[in-house]
Amino acid sequence: MLRQASRLLARRPRLAARTRPFSTDLPAADQTADATFTEAWSKVIPNLDPPKTPLSFMQPRPPTPSSIPSKLTVNFVLPYASALATKEVDMVIVPATTGQMGVLPGHVATIAELKPGVLSVHEGNEVTKYFVSSGFVFIHANSFADVIAVEAVPLDQLDANLVQKGLAEFTSKLSSATTDLEKAEAQIGIDVHSALNSALTG
Amino acid sequence: MAMAALRREGRRFAPLISPRPITAVRSSPIAPSHEDEGPIGVRYISTQVVRNRMKSVKNIQKITKAMKMVAASKLRAVQTKAENSRGLWQPFTALLGDLPSVDVKKSVVVTISSDKGLCGGINSTSVKISKGIHKLNSGPEKETKYVILGEKAKAQLIRDSKKDIELIITELQKNPLNYTQVSVLADEILKNVEFDALRIVFNKFHSVVSFVPTVSTVLSPEIVEREAESGGKLGDLDNYEVEGGETKGEILQNLAEFQFSCVMFNAVLENACSEQGARMSAMDSSSRNAGDMLDRLTLTYNRTRQASITTELIEIISGASALEG
């Protein structure tokens, strides 16, 4: 019986120490959920708890500081990963549709669409370059920059031969395209590949 | 007539020598065990029925345990993807805020559910929330339509809201989930459905045992402009310079579409995680129940077996003592 007791005692701390193996780290659940929504919900559907909304899962952004901060905080997100998450950098150059745009701390609030091109992140003396396919960049007044791209690869993972082949392929597709849709698709292919080309050479 | 009398006599004595079914007097929770044939004069209770039942319950336990393992491994695979995609919708909410109580004429509820069953109550929760949102947003001049992803929600919603369903999409997880597939899906929905606000209902994955029903709202560009002009939560939107050759409206249009595909991607992944987690816990409780049932059946089996041994012993002993005395 004593043996059993010691076994039970040994088991208990193990259970306590074994944290839920799949629990994920969610940002602090903010209670700034939309109050009007919860009220309206409880009036119409009293038996069910109202569903949560994304605001309760997000950490709130800091308000606009009065003086320009020294560093820019960058979030660079892709569907498959967050390449950079709240990283403090000096400058970011994004390939907006109007051209390469440099973003420094204190930049005016902007929404810009991205075209295929090179995104470079400058932190001190190091520069990291990515080729982004397209996406959006939001620059907020509090020196936060959100870059959302569909695909981004570091430049050293690009293969020059495949780029040339792709460019030739899409050029021929454009010349043989009949419908507007095909022409548009071929044009997109050409844009991306020529941007890849200039990224590799320039 | 003498023959008839003899036959009657025979019938009276016959039960002593030929087998006849005995209803079990012991308290067995299952079908009465029946007497079996043996050498003439011996009666013993059969444990065959209990044994069959034990075998099938054991098989069920094995199957549900295997399903739990499969769900656990699938969960591990999807979970990393879901966690990586969590950063995707945050910039949009940071920019455009979250307005689930926005007053619009046409809202479309996108309900995300699973194709396969045996996953607990998550699909019913999603459907209940969707119906709740429908009720919340119905009124004069307001209408709500459904876009359904997944077989389970389709089965439940088609029963009473058939006329409100715009689009049904199934077999989402035939190929591993990726952004391209979801963006094509989002494109289809945007092309075929008119909306002022899209409300995506899904189960957000917190942990293996906790799934939170969540609704994400994506507004159409016109509504975004309207809310920005009227001030309130989106009032700061006008402060943002819009870079780009085209008009602000076009950029906002692209933004809304991109936001929808990003939010959908995250929602679909989270729901897949929740489905696997729910299936894990459902199969776990089912194998535990099967284990309990097996324990109870084992007790019954042992009781039955011991009772038959006792009966046999009694008969032998009483037969022996009858011979002596």
Side-chain angles (χ1 to χ4, degrees), chain A residues 117-118 131 155 158 194-202:
Chain A
V118 176
F131 182 82
L155 280 185
L158 293 173
S194 39
L196 277 165
N197 220 355
S198 50
L200 284 172
T201 52

Side-chain angles (χ1 to χ4, degrees), chain A residues 150-162:
Chain A
V150 178
E151 277 280 356
V153 286
L155 280 185
D156 45 15
Q157 290 182 8
L158 293 173
D159 185 350
N161 297 335
L162 286 174

Side-chain angles (χ1 to χ4, degrees), chain B residues 74-89:
Chain B
K74 284 196 178 159
L75 176 66
R76 240 180 313 234
V78 197
Q79 192 178 359
T80 36
K81 273 184 160 179
E83 290 186 9
N84 287 338
S85 79
R86 280 210 178 125
L88 200 56
W89 54 265

Side-chain angles (χ1 to χ4, degrees), chain B residues 57-252:
Chain B
V57 171
K58 205 184 289 186
N59 283 339
I60 289 180
Q61 190 186 33
K62 282 195 202 149
I63 290 172
T64 50
K65 251 193 210 150
M67 284 183 77
K68 178 185 165 196
M69 294 289 126
V70 167
S73 68
K74 284 196 178 159
L75 176 66
R76 240 180 313 234
V78 197
Q79 192 178 359
T80 36
K81 273 184 160 179
E83 290 186 9
N84 287 338
S85 79
R86 280 210 178 125
L88 200 56
W89 54 265
Q90 292 185 6
F92 293 104
T93 315
L95 179 74
L96 296 169
D98 185 32
L99 300 156
S101 54
V102 68
D103 194 15
V104 289
K105 290 228 183 72
K106 292 205 179 108
S107 26
V108 173
V109 176
V110 182
T111 315
I112 305 188
S113 68
S114 62
D115 284 333
K116 304 207 182 121
L118 294 181
C119 50
I122 51 169
N123 292 322
S124 311
T125 340
S126 289
V127 168
K128 267 190 263 185
I129 302 266
S130 312
K131 288 193 182 159
I133 294 183
H134 180 109
K135 207 161 149 196
L136 202 62
N137 283 319
S138 50
E141 294 201 1
K142 288 209 277 192
E143 58 163 8
T144 319
K145 297 271 175 194
Y146 291 105
V147 169
I148 303 178
L149 267 75
E151 288 276 357
K152 294 290 152 191
K154 165 179 155 195
Q156 292 191 32
L157 282 172
I158 226 169
R159 239 183 289 145
D160 47 3
S161 317
K162 194 155 178 204
K163 55 181 175 46
D164 283 333
I165 300 179
E166 288 269 0
L167 214 56
I168 302 178
I169 299 154
T170 54
E171 292 200 1
L172 205 61
Q173 298 209 35
K174 208 153 126 181
N175 305 321
L177 292 165
N178 57 4
Y179 184 69
T180 324
Q181 173 192 35
V182 176
S183 52
V184 167
L185 206 68
D187 200 28
E188 282 290 322
I189 297 178
L190 289 168
K191 267 195 294 202
N192 294 326
V193 181
E194 283 187 25
F195 64 95
D196 287 333
L198 282 160
R199 299 169 202 275
I200 305 170
V201 176
F202 62 102
N203 292 85
K204 197 170 170 73
F205 181 78
H206 273 226
S207 77
V208 183
V209 294
S210 127
F211 327 105
V212 182
T214 316
V215 62
S216 290
T217 319
V218 174
L219 302 170
S220 74
E222 295 91 17
I223 301 292
V224 170
E225 296 246 24
R226 186 191 84 183
E227 292 289 320
E229 276 160 32
S230 68
K233 296 208 180 135
L234 274 184
D236 306 332
L237 199 61
D238 276 336
N239 299 341
Y240 283 79
E241 294 263 333
V242 177
E243 290 269 338
E246 302 110 13
T247 66
K248 182 174 176 184
E250 283 204 36
I251 301 272
L252 282 182

